[in-house]
Amino acid sequence: MLESGDLLLICYRRLFSNDENRFFLGKVDDYQAGIVKITGHSFLRDSVTGKMAEKSDLATKILSISSGSLIVYQLPSTLMLADLRFEQKMMQLILLDDQGFSLDLTEKLQRQN
């Protein structure tokens, strides 16, 4: 299903209401039977500013994407990982680049009164 070189955005499910959003953005090194080896960067929500902060260290992780604790998005192969960024607009969290790609990662829809 996944191949070496595929681009993925891994979203860690928030299990508790006070859990912060955590993401891993990277490129697949290997994939077998629901287990992915992926190299990239972690992103965490800064509890002070509320903005997404990239951890500077490149990391390789081995994750079970069939565990149920992760949400996995396969991104278009034409994207450049270095150009992707998270932006927060009002109550929305969006992954985007300057070439027109946009992925809305908002967990809750705003209710209309």
Side-chain angles (χ1 to χ4, degrees), residues 25-74:
L25 184 58
K27 191 176 285 193
V28 172
D29 297 320
D30 197 12
Y31 172 81
Q32 293 180 18
I35 306 294
V36 66
K37 181 178 180 182
I38 184 170
T39 299
H41 289 271
S42 293
F43 294 83
L44 307 166
R45 183 183 303 276
D46 183 312
S47 60
V48 175
T49 67
K51 296 187 178 193
M52 296 302 296
E54 178 179 359
K55 291 176 92 176
S56 60
D57 296 335
L58 187 66
T60 298
K61 294 188 176 195
I62 297 174
L63 303 168
S64 172
I65 62 172
S66 59
S67 69
S69 63
L70 303 173
I71 301 168
V72 181
Y73 294 92
Q74 185 171 356

Side-chain angles (χ1 to χ4, degrees), residues 55-109:
K55 291 176 92 176
S56 60
D57 296 335
L58 187 66
T60 298
K61 294 188 176 195
I62 297 174
L63 303 168
S64 172
I65 62 172
S66 59
S67 69
S69 63
L70 303 173
I71 301 168
V72 181
Y73 294 92
Q74 185 171 356
L75 303 174
S77 61
T78 56
L79 295 178
M80 300 297 293
L81 289 178
D83 294 341
L84 293 171
R85 66 185 183 282
F86 290 91
E87 280 193 10
Q88 194 160 352
K89 298 177 181 179
M90 301 294 285
M91 298 297 289
Q92 290 184 302
L93 180 62
I94 300 169
L95 179 69
L96 52 86
D97 68 8
D98 291 329
Q99 308 304 314
F101 173 78
S102 177
L103 178 61
D104 188 346
L105 300 167
T106 308
E107 291 184 10
K108 297 178 183 177
L109 295 176

